[in-house]
Amino acid sequence: MRQLLLLAGLLFSFSAPVAAATGQTAKQHLLHSLQQLSKHTGFQCDFAQRIGYADGGSQLYGGQIAVLRPARFRWHYDSPYEQLYVGDGKVIWHYEPDLMQAERMDSLDAVDPVVMQLLDGRIKAEAVTLLGFDGVSEGVGRYHVRLGQREFWLGLDDAGTLAYIESLDALGNRNRVMLTGCVFVAPDAKRFSFVPPAGVDVIDVRSGAGR
């Protein structure tokens, strides 16, 4: 099964400019951004994702994401090939049209549990530790943060919105996700339902399936 690493995480926020953010100011800026995240009922954005592999290779992905809380999301990859992750709060589907295959799941935790927490708005400001502020480049402040056992780098631009999020895995692969065209309006709930098209092979990988 061709299984992409999901986006390393998403944070959406509005806060004070970061051009002069240092020390406690940087921490306040980050905390305020996290607090603002939980206030959005839903949003939709375009994304561009680059995975840089430790051996020097890389892969680019692109598509759109929509979120409607609680627990509803829609990841649509349209390049380099089409695939869809969609969850209605109970069941998660992974659909690959060119393979004529759809997987029915109850969790994405095996891929990246932090992503689910961020999407659901379950991440509290108090749970995130600021490890360092790496300065500003081209109007984007770079924040090194830790959540549980995971570390990330967040790029917040002068307007306080997220310019990128970056992570580094144990194998040295670097994953950067950039967001554009974000609209902080709750999407239509109908977008988060999915029915496998006729002829598609459905595989049930939910825990306890087949028992």
Side-chain angles (χ1 to χ4, degrees), residues 6 9 13 15 20 84-85 105 111 137 143-144 158 161 177 181 192 207:
L6 280 186
S13 59
S15 54
L84 173 68
Y85 289 89
M105 306 179 287
V111 182
S137 176
Y143 293 77
H144 185 189
D158 287 336
T161 56
V177 177
F192 305 95
S207 57

Side-chain angles (χ1 to χ4, degrees), residues 181-199:
C182 294
V183 178
F184 294 92
V185 175
D188 189 332
K190 294 179 180 179
R191 296 191 63 194
F192 305 95
S193 62
F194 177 80
V195 176

Side-chain angles (χ1 to χ4, degrees), residues 162-183:
L162 184 73
Y164 65 81
I165 183 166
E166 187 174 303
S167 65
L168 186 67
D169 68 19
L171 299 177
N173 303 316
R174 189 170 296 273
N175 187 350
R176 175 179 281 213
V177 177
M178 294 162 284
L179 302 171
T180 58
C182 294
V183 178

